[in-house]
Amino acid sequence: SYSIFLDIQAVNTIFKYRLKTPNTMIHTQNLLIALFAALSISIVVVEAQFDNANFGQPKICPPFKCSKDQEPVPKWPYKVKSMGCASSSGGMMALQPSKMGGKDPLEDCCHAKQVCLQTCGSVKHLCQADFMKCGERTCASLPSQESEDCTRTIELQKMLSGMDTCNEYDGYQRQNCKCVSKERAPKERVQFLTRFYEKYNAVDVSKAKKLAAKADTVRKMSTLVVKLVQKYPGAIKIIEDPNKAMMDKLMRDADQKKDDGDDEAEEDESTAEDMGTEEL
């Protein structure tokens, strides 16, 4: 029943976007987008059902922990990748028509969420909460129509996050954390920050020791790293979403065929008029 309900919701959502877009006719590709979106959500729902996801509710995932007398610190080299808003939605966010052919206004918020999820010591539901705040601020700053579309995107993202599981988050934490003795942890934090500054802003490498002293807990360190990456976004490896690239191509091809069809219709009409004139 969840799949059927969400399929209908996906189709309705996509068509609402197109109907509310000024000077845009509804073409066959709209149906392609709606059906593709419905299928994407169905896959997410099926996966979530098997993992006992909490539909519509924030998923509380336990943070990464080490054995007794140890604590997690971020690994170097720091590795974070992001497809933007497609990263946490199975490609759904990128398939919305309002996102095709232009920069998504929520892209920076989505990158920030991915940075948070993939940074050692982060807390998953707090990453989602920060994303919602960022999204709400962004949407409020947009013109009326764009703001409405943006708000719908936020609502869809919230729904999808409610179906999410801990698997991806847990994987990121295992990949990017390492366990060290509590005595060694302060030194490891200094070394990580030193290497980060050396790579992304060598001029300020002297700040590493002072910042590490302030970030003296796992949570404080993760918060600091997230802020640093937001300041130096070169630390994020941006990956193109293959679903968006595919749908963009489908849209371009469909628009081209429509333009070709319009040209042929105009040519036929002109020929018919000429023939009529000659016969008279």
Side-chain angles (χ1 to χ4, degrees):
S1 59
Y2 281 119
S3 293
I4 295 171
F5 171 74
L6 288 170
D7 286 353
I8 294 172
Q9 288 295 95
V11 173
N12 286 340
T13 299
I14 297 299
F15 275 103
K16 281 179 183 177
Y17 277 116
R18 296 299 281 181
L19 287 169
K20 288 179 175 290
T21 303
N23 303 318
T24 302
M25 295 180 65
I26 298 179
H27 305 309
T28 305
Q29 64 264 40
N30 295 33
L31 183 57
L32 276 173
I33 298 165
L35 293 175
F36 198 95
L39 178 61
S40 297
I41 285 190
S42 294
I43 292 170
V44 173
V45 172
V46 171
E47 290 176 348
Q49 285 176 324
F50 280 108
D51 287 316
N52 298 318
N54 297 331
F55 292 98
Q57 301 297 322
K59 183 68 177 177
I60 307 300
C61 301
F64 182 86
K65 289 185 178 179
C66 298
S67 59
K68 188 179 179 181
D69 298 326
Q70 290 190 319
E71 65 180 63
V73 294
K75 287 181 184 177
W76 186 264
Y78 181 72
K79 295 180 180 179
V80 171
K81 58 185 179 180
S82 176
M83 289 192 298
C85 297
S87 296
S88 55
S89 63
M92 268 296 299
M93 310 307 288
L95 296 177
Q96 296 175 32
S98 60
K99 307 296 178 289
M100 295 181 183
K103 178 177 169 59
D104 184 347
L106 292 171
E107 195 75 3
D108 290 341
C109 296
C110 291
H111 286 320
K113 178 182 175 181
Q114 286 303 306
V115 169
C116 182
L117 291 173
Q118 296 177 48
T119 296
C120 178
S122 66
V123 179
K124 183 177 185 293
H125 69 274
L126 296 182
C127 295
Q128 177 63 23
D130 288 343
F131 167 79
M132 294 299 294
K133 291 176 184 176
C134 178
E136 288 166 2
R137 286 195 305 270
T138 301
C139 294
S141 69
L142 298 172
S144 178
Q145 181 59 53
E146 292 180 35
S147 180
E148 289 181 19
D149 289 349
C150 181
T151 300
R152 292 190 195 98
T153 299
I154 291 291
E155 291 171 356
L156 179 57
Q157 176 69 264
K158 183 177 181 180
M159 179 185 74
L160 291 169
S161 70
M163 296 186 293
D164 199 6
T165 68
C166 298
N167 295 342
E168 185 177 50
Y169 165 76
D170 290 343
Y172 286 142
Q173 294 298 298
R174 288 192 298 270
Q175 174 185 301
N176 295 324
C177 289
K178 67 177 181 178
C179 293
V180 299
S181 66
K182 291 183 178 180
E183 292 76 18
R184 182 168 177 76
K187 184 177 180 180
E188 288 284 342
R189 287 192 278 267
V190 172
Q191 288 181 349
F192 177 91
L193 292 173
T194 298
R195 289 171 178 171
F196 186 94
Y197 272 108
E198 286 175 345
K199 184 167 184 178
Y200 298 108
N201 184 15
V203 175
D204 288 333
V205 70
S206 60
K207 293 181 179 180
K209 187 174 291 188
K210 185 176 180 180
L211 287 173
K214 290 182 178 180
D216 57 355
T217 66
V218 175
R219 183 78 185 101
K220 287 180 181 178
M221 182 64 177
S222 69
T223 301
L224 172 61
V225 173
V226 169
K227 288 181 178 179
L228 281 173
V229 177
Q230 289 175 340
K231 186 174 182 179
Y232 305 108
I236 308 172
K237 182 180 180 180
I238 306 298
I239 301 173
E240 182 181 12
D241 173 27
N243 289 328
K244 183 177 186 302
M246 180 187 69
M247 291 307 295
D248 281 345
K249 184 178 185 302
L250 285 174
M251 291 286 285
R252 287 194 301 270
D253 291 347
D255 285 340
Q256 183 61 52
K257 287 180 181 179
K258 179 184 177 298
D259 291 341
D260 292 344
D262 290 344
D263 291 341
E264 289 177 6
E266 290 176 4
E267 184 178 343
D268 291 343
E269 184 178 345
S270 175
T271 301
E273 290 177 355
D274 290 343
M275 288 179 64
T277 303
E278 289 172 2
E279 290 295 326
L280 290 174

